[in-house]
Structure formats: structure tokens, C-alpha cells
Amino acid sequence: MVRNPKTSDEKTSGEHAGAGDAPGAARLPPREAIVEALMRLSAEQPWNDIEIADIAQEAGVSLAEFRDAYPSKGAVLGGFARMIDKQVLEGASDDLDEEPTRERLFDVLMRRLDAMDPYKPALRRIAFALRGDPLSLAALNQVALNSQRFMLASAGISTEGPLGRVKLQGVVIAFARVMEVWLEDDDPALARTMAALDREIRNGERFMERAEDVRRLTAPFRALAQSLTERGRRRRRRDDAREDTRNEDDGNPLGGDPAAAI
């Protein structure tokens, strides 16, 4: 993949126009302004020191507008992820349609890292702060699953079928590992990051090949289990049908209509 180092006139996370910028600056919609404000603050101070009132003030919105846009500070990270999703998807092209799946996925995920590059200082602080918070990590995992579903779709990779969820979670974990390298990779060429991404994709390919082999080998057993399950369901339906032939008032002094008890 050919990469262009970031030029000096590209904006960093602290340079994006926000709702609270000086007069004359382009005013962003509240949701986007709040995301940009959080990322600016996160680049400068610890995550746990940032209050929602601080974000609202930085974004130039009221607390009422903040609440209308997001329910919490963490939810703003979900908004950030969707913003990055949109940038990557809008930048997609059909140039790699004929390339192997590995190359398409590599390109999509590198474009995701490129889109996040202006926010790298903020993401480095946020990742450090949330590393020991299992509840936050679980919530972010769901955000990542939603994002990677669209990244895989952009690469022409299906996430449906018996192994779809496994494939999707695998990409989330792999990309998280790559991000750990990327956050510490200050080389404009990102050689370490690209090597890590290539390695994770190849490992994922091998894992999915083994998973597909296991699925094929266990297909007869799954078919037998499904047949036994369906047989049990049919038996229960027959038993229920027999019970339905009885008078619904039998043994019930109020009759079969629940409204009779009113």
C-alpha cells in the first residue's frame, strides 16, 4: 500500500473547527462539535478528569444540547467511531476489487488508522485510562463490532453465516492489537504498524481456515442434533394439541377467560 506522510498543513485533533471556535470559524453540528471537543480535551488532560460540563463548554453547546446528542461521555466515543466509519466508507473505491481479500482488508484498516491519525494523542491517553476498566472495554467492544462490520463489508467480506460472528470478533481483537502498536509508532511510514497488521490478517486467515474445517467435520453431528431437536418440538406440539381438546373451563372456576377474574 502506498502511503503519503501527513503534510504540515493537515489538521491535528486540536485544530479541527468546533462549535466553540473563534467567530468566523465554521460551526460544526452539535454532535460533531462534541466529538471534536472531547478529543481536544483528551489530548491535553487525563480522561478521568474530563467532565461533561467541560466538553459542553469546549464544544460551545449547552448541557441540554449535549444531553440531546449523547447520554454520556463514553457515548461520545461511540460518536467518534461512527465519524471515523463514515470517513473510511466515503473514501472507499473500487481500485482493489480484483485484489485478494487480504489486500482489500489491509487497505481498509490502514485507511481507518489514517483517519484516526489526527486524534492519536487523545486516543493514546484514552486507551491508557480505559485499559483497566472491564465494563468500559466491554462497551467499546460492542462499538468496535459495529464499526468492523462495516469495514469488512467495505472489503467485500461477509459477516453472515455460522462463522460470521467469530470472524467479526476476530477482526476486532486483531485490530485492537494493531492499534497498540500504532499508538506507539511515531514513524511517518508506519512500518511497524503495517507489519503488525499484515501479521494479524495472515493469522486470522489461518484461524478461519481451521474454523471452517471444524465446521465441516462437525456438520453431521450438528445435523443429528437439529433432527433430534425438531423431533422433540413435534412431540411437544402433539401433546399440546391433545391438551387443547379438553374443556378450557375444566378445573377453573372462573372459566378459561382471564378477564373473568376482573
Side-chain angles (χ1 to χ4, degrees), residues 177-199:
R177 290 172 180 159
V178 172
M179 275 196 65
E180 290 181 359
V181 177
W182 173 75
L183 287 172
E184 303 303 324
D185 189 357
D186 294 324
D187 177 7
L190 294 180
R192 287 174 52 215
T193 299
M194 290 194 290
L197 179 56
D198 183 69
R199 181 171 60 251

Side-chain angles (χ1 to χ4, degrees), residues 124-204:
R124 187 180 287 132
R125 282 179 174 269
I126 293 170
F128 179 79
L130 298 183
R131 192 167 293 166
D133 185 345
L135 292 179
S136 294
L137 291 177
L140 289 176
N141 182 72
Q142 186 58 55
V143 171
L145 285 170
N146 293 333
S147 291
Q148 293 299 343
R149 182 177 291 109
F150 282 91
M151 298 302 100
L152 290 177
S154 182
I157 301 173
S158 173
T159 56
E160 302 301 325
L163 297 178
R165 183 75 177 190
V166 174
K167 189 187 305 182
L168 190 55
Q169 185 65 70
V171 172
V172 169
I173 294 172
F175 191 70
R177 290 172 180 159
V178 172
M179 275 196 65
E180 290 181 359
V181 177
W182 173 75
L183 287 172
E184 303 303 324
D185 189 357
D186 294 324
D187 177 7
L190 294 180
R192 287 174 52 215
T193 299
M194 290 194 290
L197 179 56
D198 183 69
R199 181 171 60 251
E200 291 292 341
I201 290 176
R202 292 180 184 277
N203 289 342

Side-chain angles (χ1 to χ4, degrees), residues 35-201:
V35 168
E36 295 288 355
L38 176 61
M39 302 312 286
R40 285 196 299 272
L41 292 173
S42 298
E44 299 166 357
Q45 55 188 281
W47 171 261
N48 291 327
D49 290 349
I50 302 172
E51 301 286 345
I52 57 174
D54 300 328
I55 304 169
Q57 182 178 5
E58 177 71 18
V61 302
S62 68
L63 283 175
E65 289 175 307
F66 189 120
R67 181 62 184 88
D68 188 55
Y70 298 104
S72 67
K73 181 174 70 172
V76 182
L77 291 180
F80 171 75
R82 289 191 295 274
M83 185 179 76
I84 296 299
D85 295 344
K86 184 178 179 181
Q87 289 183 28
V88 176
L89 297 172
E90 287 179 343
S93 69
D94 56 4
D95 293 346
L96 298 177
D97 284 355
E98 303 303 320
E99 295 297 323
T101 301
R102 179 191 307 126
E103 298 300 325
R104 298 198 304 270
L105 182 58
F106 184 95
D107 178 74
V108 169
L109 296 182
M110 283 305 301
R111 284 193 283 113
R112 187 171 188 84
L113 291 174
D114 286 341
M116 293 190 299
D117 187 71
Y119 308 94
K120 199 170 188 177
L123 292 171
R124 187 180 287 132
R125 282 179 174 269
I126 293 170
F128 179 79
L130 298 183
R131 192 167 293 166
D133 185 345
L135 292 179
S136 294
L137 291 177
L140 289 176
N141 182 72
Q142 186 58 55
V143 171
L145 285 170
N146 293 333
S147 291
Q148 293 299 343
R149 182 177 291 109
F150 282 91
M151 298 302 100
L152 290 177
S154 182
I157 301 173
S158 173
T159 56
E160 302 301 325
L163 297 178
R165 183 75 177 190
V166 174
K167 189 187 305 182
L168 190 55
Q169 185 65 70
V171 172
V172 169
I173 294 172
F175 191 70
R177 290 172 180 159
V178 172
M179 275 196 65
E180 290 181 359
V181 177
W182 173 75
L183 287 172
E184 303 303 324
D185 189 357
D186 294 324
D187 177 7
L190 294 180
R192 287 174 52 215
T193 299
M194 290 194 290
L197 179 56
D198 183 69
R199 181 171 60 251
E200 291 292 341
I201 290 176

Side-chain angles (χ1 to χ4, degrees), residues 244-258:
D244 289 342
T245 61
R246 295 177 299 178
N247 190 323
E248 62 181 1
D249 292 343
D250 288 350
N252 184 352
L254 297 178
D257 185 357

